[in-house]
Amino acid sequence: MVSYRKRGKVWQYEISYKDLDGGYKKLRKSGFRLKSDAELAASQVKSLYADVRQFKAGEIPLSVYFERWITLYKRNSVSDVTFIKYENTLHHIRKIFGQMPLKDITRTVYQERLNVFARDHAPRTVSAFHKQIRAALLDALDEHIISSDPTRKAVVTGIAVHRPKKALDFGEWRTLIHHLHPDSVPEMMIYIAAVTGMRYAEILGLTPADIDWHTATLNITKTWDYKYHTGFKKTKNKSSVRKVALDQRSLRLLREYTVGHPATPTTPLFLIDGHALVSAEINQVLTARLSSLGLPRVTFHGLRHTHASILLYQGVSVLSVSKRLGHSSITTTQSTYLHIIKELEAKDTDKILKILDQA
């Protein structure tokens, strides 16, 4: 219902509406010189917003709308881990947008705030942040809560990320594994990664029961959730459930480690006082050790690439490497290590030509 009244020399419109919570409220605006001006403004509000409650919703902060949106559309439709990512976005929205109403977020304002977030985040992180906000605001646009999309044509930037070397060469790898201490939890984890190519979560998921001393193998059947602390989890895919053979030196070092770090058969081998190191912590240890040895920096995941690269260069078949790494298919291995495979093919071509020349 709309009513008009003259207040002094100007006109005011008043729209009665039911609030989002069901209570009746009024929306007023004055300052119109003529009644017809007030009528036109009121009609524009009603034409832009099918329901005046939606117009009022445009005055709520982005953080409030986003929180309602993820509760309604995401809480029961995504995994707990994914929902935590939405909650992290909400946390940053509160810091960057404050109490700014939805209706005040223009394309310029949105870009400014996105740039603020990008000052200390990598482009990939900024892109994920932008993608989640955009999804929510597009729904707000569909509901006529806002009249335009402030995220349209937003430019995603971010700080340059220094990329460490992807993998060590054979000599660097040998230097590393021969200078790691088997009595140290993080250094033993680094050693296992270097000689098996196992993923970080897979190593954390190892228990004494997973070591087969007779066949010298590790049975990989599960992982450990080091990010959100939910305990044991399934492996990345079915192919990740596998047996990884160990050499005798590695088996001996692992035995020494288990003697010094006794655990029940089903307790993870590499927890420190019940706490699993997060990836940043293990990478700090690895970086320090590499630096002390004068070796180039690689990430913990880079040890997996190192292991695979060394095996391929030493003539191990792509199929065997793929199975050892637990890839879902040999295609994954081929695409990941295409540059190495091409180098090996070139060497094989030279061998073939030499053979033919001797015929």
Side-chain angles (χ1 to χ4, degrees):
M1 177 180 176
V2 186
S3 62
Y4 306 91
R5 61 180 296 190
K6 194 169 185 179
R7 299 176 62 86
K9 295 183 179 181
V10 296
W11 283 85
Q12 170 187 285
Y13 70 72
E14 179 179 281
I15 305 176
S16 300
Y17 69 96
K18 184 179 290 187
D19 189 75
L20 293 170
D21 297 322
Y24 284 95
K25 294 189 177 181
K26 295 181 179 181
L27 175 66
R28 301 185 183 91
K29 189 171 183 180
S30 61
F32 301 101
R33 189 172 62 87
L34 302 174
K35 182 179 181 181
S36 59
D37 293 336
E39 291 174 337
L40 177 61
S43 65
Q44 288 176 336
V45 169
K46 295 181 69 175
S47 64
L48 278 174
Y49 307 95
D51 191 321
V52 178
R53 289 179 300 167
Q54 294 171 330
F55 175 83
K56 196 67 178 179
E59 296 182 356
I60 65 174
L62 171 60
S63 59
V64 174
Y65 178 80
F66 189 81
E67 185 174 17
R68 290 179 179 177
W69 183 78
I70 63 175
T71 299
L72 181 62
Y73 294 106
K74 300 301 177 181
R75 183 178 292 280
N76 297 317
S77 62
V78 299
S79 68
D80 291 340
V81 171
T82 300
F83 190 75
I84 288 174
K85 295 178 181 179
Y86 281 101
E87 290 183 316
N88 288 338
T89 295
L90 174 60
H91 170 72
H92 288 297
I93 288 174
R94 287 170 175 156
K95 289 177 59 178
I96 296 172
F97 289 89
Q99 294 299 307
M100 182 179 294
L102 281 173
K103 63 183 181 63
D104 291 345
I105 302 177
T106 62
R107 282 185 60 199
T108 299
V109 169
Y110 181 79
Q111 186 67 61
E112 289 174 348
R113 298 300 190 274
L114 192 63
N115 291 346
V116 169
F117 183 73
R119 288 175 189 168
D120 52 3
H121 291 87
R124 183 176 178 180
T125 304
V126 179
S127 178
F129 178 71
H130 163 67
K131 182 179 178 180
Q132 291 186 354
I133 296 178
R134 178 173 170 78
L137 289 182
L138 286 178
D139 277 354
L141 181 65
D142 287 344
E143 296 177 59
H144 303 290
I145 294 174
I146 54 178
S147 59
S148 62
D149 174 19
T151 67
R152 187 175 68 89
K153 294 185 177 180
V155 178
V156 175
T157 58
I159 58 173
V161 179
H162 174 67
R163 299 291 181 185
K165 188 177 179 181
K166 191 172 184 179
L168 300 174
D169 62 30
F170 183 71
E172 293 165 343
W173 172 79
R174 284 191 64 187
T175 300
L176 175 64
I177 64 172
H178 284 285
H179 287 83
L180 292 169
H181 303 296
D183 58 333
S184 164
V185 175
E187 293 203 11
M188 191 60 191
M189 292 178 69
I190 291 170
Y191 181 88
I192 294 295
V195 299
T196 66
M198 290 171 63
R199 301 178 178 93
Y200 186 50
E202 291 173 344
I203 295 175
L204 281 172
L206 287 175
T207 66
D210 296 321
I211 307 172
D212 191 326
W213 301 106
H214 299 291
T215 60
T217 56
L218 295 177
N219 298 318
I220 303 172
T221 60
K222 57 193 175 308
T223 63
W224 183 265
D225 179 14
Y226 61 91
K227 289 184 178 179
Y228 305 109
H229 317 296
T230 59
F232 288 114
K233 294 178 63 177
K234 294 181 179 179
T235 54
K236 186 175 183 180
N237 51 58
K238 291 182 179 179
S239 300
S240 297
V241 177
R242 63 198 189 279
K243 295 180 182 294
V244 175
L246 291 176
D247 60 282
Q248 289 304 308
R249 178 176 183 272
S250 297
L251 196 66
R252 174 175 58 79
L253 292 177
L254 187 57
R255 188 182 293 277
E256 292 177 10
Y257 175 85
T258 56
V259 170
H261 299 79
T264 65
T266 57
T267 300
L269 283 167
F270 299 108
L271 298 186
I272 302 177
D273 296 327
H275 164 71
L277 297 177
V278 298
S279 56
E281 292 172 320
I282 193 68
N283 274 306
Q284 287 175 356
V285 175
L286 175 59
T287 298
R289 172 53 69 192
L290 291 169
S291 177
S292 70
L293 297 172
L295 299 176
R297 177 175 176 255
V298 295
T299 64
F300 191 90
H301 192 71
L303 297 175
R304 179 172 166 84
H305 291 307
T306 296
H307 185 72
S309 300
I310 288 172
L311 294 183
L312 290 170
Y313 277 124
Q314 293 297 320
V316 178
S317 71
V318 177
L319 177 60
S320 294
V321 172
S322 181
K323 289 183 176 180
R324 188 169 175 87
L325 295 180
H327 281 163
S328 57
S329 70
I330 192 173
T331 303
T332 302
T333 314
Q334 290 172 326
S335 60
T336 304
Y337 302 101
L338 180 62
H339 62 293
I340 297 176
I341 294 171
K342 286 184 175 180
E343 288 181 36
L344 295 174
E345 286 179 350
K347 291 181 180 180
D348 286 343
T349 299
D350 291 339
K351 291 180 182 178
I352 291 171
L353 293 178
K354 287 181 180 179
I355 292 171
L356 294 176
D357 286 338
Q358 294 172 0

